[in-house]
């Protein structure tokens, strides 16, 4: 049982490039979320999904796209990277009786130059 | 405007003493509150939670207190251990939400000195 996995661990992009951050969970959780962590800002919600085929925007969605074609996977796409998207990105999932208690992946550290 | 605030960016405590981490919120719709612990280069891990119908929840060395009228919660760690050194985030979720819409505070770095 791997929990929540994220790839890659580190990534450097040039401004304007696009990429996809991968997230997968093996706990059969219906809920999945993407957060970014910036110094002093805590974690801010980017997008979330309450089940396969259903996604919605969080607090800071601009510049990011998501899709949820399966229960297990929830990729985050950066359409045209900007230096303001330099951050650490965390994927999380929750489900069953403990919906509020989200399980987080180890994070992806992204630098945009 | 941050709806969840942790006003102390850092806290240093001696091993064996009590650590008290504080969190304030402004949104009266928040109904469920959680504390997460984060070590460097790892994702946050769930620590303890409390529903707004309670004012206290205990789990071993960790106790969370909720004062709804003051919109304030605190995490007490007794006794503190060096392994508790980490960044602690409080988070809140509104009533009737599925649990996805967690709003986090900025975090408090706890250092427990041997």
């Amino acid at each position: 049982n791997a929990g929540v996995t994220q790839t890659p661990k580190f990534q450097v992009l040039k401004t304007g490039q696009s990429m996809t951050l991968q997230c997968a969970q093996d706990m059969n959780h219906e809920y999945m979320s993407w957060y970014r962590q910036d110094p002093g800002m805590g974690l801010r919600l980017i997008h979330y999904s309450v089940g396969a085929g259903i996604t919605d925007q969080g607090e800071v969605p601009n510049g990011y796209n998501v899709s949820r074609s399966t229960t297990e996977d929830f990729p985050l796409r950066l359409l045209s990277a900007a230096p303001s998207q330099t951050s650490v990105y965390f994927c999380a999932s929750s489900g069953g009786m403990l919906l509020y208690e989200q399980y987080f992946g180890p994070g992806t550290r992204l630098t945009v130059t | 405007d941050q709806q969840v605030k942790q006003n102390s960016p850092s806290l240093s405590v001696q091993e064996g003493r009590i650590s008290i981490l504080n969190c304030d919120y402004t949104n009266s719709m928040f109904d469920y509150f959680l504390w997460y612990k984060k070590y460097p280069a790892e994702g946050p891990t769930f620590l303890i939670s409390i529903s707004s119908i309670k004012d206290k929840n205990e789990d071993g060395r960790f106790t969370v207190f909720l004062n709804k009228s003051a919109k304030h919660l605190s995490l007490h760690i007794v006794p503190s251990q060096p392994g508790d050194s980490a960044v602690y985030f409080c988070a809140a979720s509104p009533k009737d939400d599925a649990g996805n819409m967690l709003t986090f505070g900025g975090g408090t770095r706890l250092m427990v000195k041997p």
Side-chain angles (χ1 to χ4, degrees), chain A residues 31-33 35 37 40-43 45 48-49 90 99-102 104-106, chain B residues 32 34 36 38 42-44 46 49 89 93 97-102 104-106:
Chain A
Y31 301 107
M32 296 186 76
S33 308
Y35 294 86
Q37 184 195 2
M41 301 288 291
L43 286 85
L45 183 65
Y48 66 97
S49 168
F90 291 100
L99 291 178
Y100 292 99
E101 296 167 16
Q102 298 191 14
F104 283 82
Chain B
Y32 200 81
L34 307 91
Y36 281 84
K38 186 183 179 306
E42 294 183 11
F46 169 74
S49 63
F89 292 99
S93 185
D97 176 67
N100 276 263
M101 298 290 288
L102 287 182
F104 283 82

Side-chain angles (χ1 to χ4, degrees), chain B residues 39-59:
Chain B
Y39 292 118
E42 294 183 11
T45 54
F46 169 74
L47 191 58
I48 192 169
S49 63
I50 188 167
S51 164
S52 62
I53 62 173
K54 293 185 172 183
D55 55 16
K56 177 182 173 182
N57 189 25
E58 229 173 315
D59 184 1

Side-chain angles (χ1 to χ4, degrees), chain A residues 6-11 21 87-90 106-110:
Chain A
Q6 291 182 238
T7 55
K9 283 189 165 45
F10 302 95
Q11 183 71 49
L21 279 64
S87 188
V88 182
Y89 291 84
F90 291 100
T108 294
R109 184 175 292 274
L110 175 68

